[in-house]
Amino acid sequence: MRMMRCAAWLLCFAVMAGGAALGQSPDANAIDPGLNIHTVELWPDGAPGQNGNEPKDVPALSVFAPRKGHAITTAVIVAPGGSYRELAADLEGREVADWFSARGITAFVLRYRMGDKYQYPIPLEDAQRAVRYVRANAAKYGIDPERIGMMGFSAGGHLAAMESVSAETADANASDPIDRASSKPNFVVLGYPWLNAMAPNTSGLITYCANNPTVHGVPAGKCKEFETKYSPVRFVTSATPPTFIYITSDDKTVDVQASIDYFEALRAANVPVEFHSFAHGSHGSGLGSGDPALDLWPGLLDAWLRGQGFLGAGTR
C-alpha cells in the first residue's frame, strides 16, 4: 500500500527512511546524511525505569535538519499522538517535521514511552529530557536555546501541554550536562490535544484511566490522583509559554471543551494564546489531510510563529 501511494521512487525512499529514523526499524540509530535525518537516544546508557531494549523501550529524538543555508535558529520538538498506546509517527511526526524543516526550523520527533509498561509520569519525564537535550545541545545544532518549542497532537498534545506547565526539572549540580539545562519550552503548539486525558469517562470518550485498565496500567483507585497531578489546566500560570491551539468543534474523540477551558486559563493568566476551532473535521487530521478547510490551519500556525518572532529570522 505504501508503494502504491508514492508518486515516485524518491518519495518512497524518503518515507521509508523517515520510518527507520522514527524507530520502526530495529536500527534505532539509523543515519542518512543525504536526508539530513538521524536519531539520538535521550539516555544513551539506558533511561530511568527502562524495561527492555526494543525501540519502544528507548526514548529518542529523530532529528530533521533543514537544508544547509536555509536553517534559522528555532527548533521544535514534536510529540505524535496515539492515545498513549502507540505513536502516529508518520502523520503526526514525519510529515510535521518536514513542514518545519522546510521553513528552516530544526525539528526533533520524540519517541516517548507509554502504555501499560510505562504509565505516567514516565512519558512526561521523557518529554522533559527531550527539551533539556535540545537546549543542552543548542550549539551543536545551531539553535538559539531561547527559541525551542514543543508541539503535540492528541495524546502528544496533552504531553506537550503538561510538559509546558510542569515545574522546572533542571539540576544545576547534575553530573550529566543535559540535566543542567532548562526543561521549559519557549512556545507550545497543540493540535487537537487530549487535554482532559486524565478526567473520568463521563461522555463515552476515551480516558487514560480507561474501562480496560491494562491499556495504560493505571489502577482504578489511582485515577483521581492522576487527574489531580496530570491535568494541564490546573497548572497554568503567567510563566506558561505562548501557546497555539488547533482543534475541530465536532471532534468525536477528544472534547473541544477541554481546549476551550485551557484557552480561557491561558488568557486569564495573561499568556499569549491563539485558538482556532474549525467547524468540522475528524480527529487525527494532522496538517489537514487534504481537507479543503483544515489544510488552512498550518498557514495560521506559520503566521503565529512569525508574529511571536520564532520564524523569519536570518538563515545559517
Side-chain angles (χ1 to χ4, degrees), residues 120 143 314:
Y120 257 75
I143 293 165

Side-chain angles (χ1 to χ4, degrees), residues 44 48 60 62 114 124 137-138 179 195 249 262-263 298 301:
S62 290
M114 70 198 83
L124 179 58
N137 288 280
D179 287 335
L195 293 173
S249 297
Y262 195 66
F263 163 74
L301 174 58

Side-chain angles (χ1 to χ4, degrees), residues 130-139 145-146 148 181-186:
V131 175
R132 292 198 307 270
Y133 172 86
V134 173
R135 184 162 282 121
N137 288 280
E146 299 305 316
I148 298 170
S182 171
S183 60
K184 281 286 185 181
N186 301 105

Side-chain angles (χ1 to χ4, degrees), residues 44-277:
D45 296 325
Q50 183 174 329
N51 181 18
N53 293 304
E54 295 181 44
K56 64 183 179 181
D57 299 306
V58 183
L61 287 170
S62 290
V63 188
F64 294 76
R67 285 189 299 135
K68 187 175 181 180
H70 293 265
I72 61 175
T73 59
T74 299
V76 65
I77 298 159
V78 182
S83 300
Y84 284 120
R85 289 177 287 188
E86 57 186 3
L87 291 182
D90 190 4
L91 176 69
E92 296 167 359
R94 172 62 193 264
E95 290 184 16
V96 180
D98 286 342
W99 186 90
F100 279 107
S101 63
R103 285 158 179 77
I105 295 175
T106 304
F108 299 79
V109 178
L110 174 62
R111 183 175 70 215
Y112 55 93
R113 293 169 290 172
M114 70 198 83
D116 179 28
K117 200 172 181 181
Y118 298 111
Q119 67 183 48
Y120 257 75
I122 286 178
L124 179 58
E125 291 169 355
D126 290 351
Q128 291 170 329
R129 174 74 174 188
V131 175
R132 292 198 307 270
Y133 172 86
V134 173
R135 184 162 282 121
N137 288 280
K140 171 183 175 180
Y141 292 108
I143 293 165
D144 183 337
E146 299 305 316
R147 294 165 62 91
I148 298 170
M150 182 91 186
M151 180 177 190
F153 293 84
S154 192
H158 172 268
L159 180 60
M162 197 64 230
E163 203 281 341
S164 73
V165 299
S166 294
E168 175 62 70
T169 58
D171 180 358
N173 299 314
S175 57
D176 183 347
I178 293 175
D179 287 335
R180 299 177 210 150
S182 171
S183 60
K184 281 286 185 181
N186 301 105
F187 65 91
V188 182
V189 180
L190 306 177
Y192 41 89
W194 189 25
L195 293 173
N196 61 343
M198 302 295 174
N201 187 345
T202 58
S203 61
L205 301 178
I206 58 173
T207 179
Y208 194 81
C209 285
N211 295 331
N212 178 4
T214 63
V215 173
H216 299 113
V218 183
K222 294 193 70 175
C223 285
K224 189 63 181 177
E225 177 187 339
F226 272 56
E227 182 186 7
T228 300
K229 285 184 177 180
Y230 306 122
S231 294
V233 71
R234 295 171 178 260
F235 304 104
V236 171
T237 70
S238 59
T240 302
T243 302
F244 178 101
I245 305 170
Y246 152 71
I247 196 167
T248 57
S249 297
D250 59 355
D251 191 316
K252 298 297 191 296
T253 302
V254 302
D255 187 359
V256 66
Q257 187 61 49
S259 289
I260 294 171
D261 293 343
Y262 195 66
F263 163 74
E264 292 289 358
L266 291 165
R267 193 170 66 88
N270 295 314
V271 174
V273 57
E274 186 163 321
F275 177 82
H276 295 279
S277 179

Side-chain angles (χ1 to χ4, degrees), residues 38 216 305-306:
H38 70 279
H216 299 113
L305 289 167
R306 292 179 189 278

